[in-house]
Amino acid sequence: MQIVINEFGTFLGKKENLFEIKNAKKEIKEEYSADKVEQIKILCSSSVSSSAIKLASENNIDIVFLNYFGEPYARSYPCK
């Protein structure tokens, strides 16, 4: 499974072994098990907590940052 963040102002955090996605403007709150996620794609201005980055790293999940055209400009992946 891939998590795609494409809403401005979205927050990606961690809750136990889950990725938690919140967007206060649209009152969205979703949770995804880290065991089922393979990749996280971030397409717009948003916030990612350091604990979510650590959870992704511990579960061999890479985080890809994409520009407006869908082209990658940065990536965070585990050192293992």
Side-chain angles (χ1 to χ4, degrees):
M1 171 192 329
Q2 292 183 345
I3 294 176
V4 179
I5 296 176
N6 58 3
E7 293 286 334
F8 180 81
T10 301
F11 173 75
L12 175 65
K14 173 195 178 253
K15 180 179 174 184
E16 297 176 8
N17 193 42
L18 302 171
F19 290 106
E20 185 174 52
I21 299 172
K22 297 179 188 177
N23 190 317
K25 185 177 180 182
K26 295 194 173 193
E27 298 180 13
I28 297 170
K29 184 177 178 184
E30 301 171 353
E31 295 178 345
Y32 299 96
S33 172
D35 299 330
K36 296 182 179 181
V37 176
E38 296 174 7
Q39 187 177 51
I40 299 170
K41 294 182 178 179
I42 301 176
L43 288 100
C44 60
S45 296
S46 56
S47 301
V48 182
S49 73
S50 59
S51 58
I53 294 170
K54 184 177 182 211
L55 179 63
S57 178
E58 291 170 348
N59 288 279
N60 296 322
I61 301 167
D62 63 330
I63 302 171
V64 181
F65 297 88
L66 304 148
N67 66 14
Y68 178 79
F69 301 104
E71 301 165 335
Y73 64 87
R75 174 179 241 160
S76 171
Y77 56 92
C79 294
K80 304 178 198 177

